[in-house]
Amino acid sequence: MALTPSLPVLAAAAASLREHDLRHPALRPPRRLVQAVLAAAASHARGADRVPLAATLHGRVDISEQAVAAVVHDAARDVAGVRSRRCRIDRPAGTGSGLRIQLRTAVAPGVDIRRAMDLVRRNIREAVAASVGVVPGTVHLTVEDLYDD
């Protein structure tokens, strides 16, 4: 069973433990309790933003924005002369399907930016569709810098 308390509850529990430790320095919490608290904090920190993928009678499937962003970064990396930077993923409310992907990039000097961005967009759409099972509705790309190796 996964323990996923909200951050305020976790903060209150941590404050209570600190106060208890000051009064009883020889007592130590059970190892399983420490592991459960750390696991809850880590899961909350890394998976707070999720994109719903599907719902069935047996449950639903969500994917973290970080996981989708990793697919996006890999797809952009496949285009020569392009480096991916910041990525934002969301599913616009009321659209029913599709993801909105916003990726900031840097390109090498001499790269045909229009052609490179067309390739990046195609790679992202194909990779997200193949890996996540959702075709991106929009893929917004911004070239924000040039890099020189």
Side-chain angles (χ1 to χ4, degrees):
M1 177 172 93
L3 180 64
T4 57
S6 67
L7 285 181
V9 172
L10 187 59
S16 175
L17 285 173
R18 278 193 307 271
E19 192 174 305
H20 186 270
D21 285 349
L22 291 174
R23 286 180 280 157
H24 307 284
L27 294 176
R28 295 284 176 237
R31 182 177 173 92
R32 288 186 58 190
L33 174 62
V34 172
Q35 290 172 338
V37 169
L38 292 175
S43 71
H44 187 80
R46 73 176 167 264
D49 296 326
R50 299 195 183 278
V51 175
L53 295 182
T56 69
L57 294 175
H58 304 290
R60 67 177 211 206
V61 177
D62 295 339
I63 186 168
S64 73
E65 287 181 11
Q66 282 181 289
V68 178
V71 172
V72 169
H73 286 294
D74 285 345
R77 218 174 282 137
D78 287 343
V79 177
V82 176
R83 290 188 181 163
S84 63
R85 297 259 174 103
R86 294 182 302 254
C87 182
R88 183 170 174 211
I89 311 291
D90 64 356
R91 186 171 217 154
T95 61
S97 65
L99 298 174
R100 181 173 42 213
I101 298 172
Q102 298 174 15
L103 178 67
R104 294 184 176 274
T105 65
V107 297
V111 167
D112 180 338
I113 294 173
R114 182 182 298 237
R115 183 176 176 282
M117 292 302 107
D118 285 345
L119 289 172
V120 168
R121 183 174 284 111
R122 187 195 74 213
N123 283 3
I124 289 170
R125 290 180 65 77
E126 290 175 0
V128 170
S131 297
V132 179
V134 175
V135 177
T138 57
V139 178
H140 297 290
L141 303 172
T142 302
V143 177
E144 65 180 10
D145 201 3
L146 295 177
Y147 71 88
D148 195 19
D149 283 332

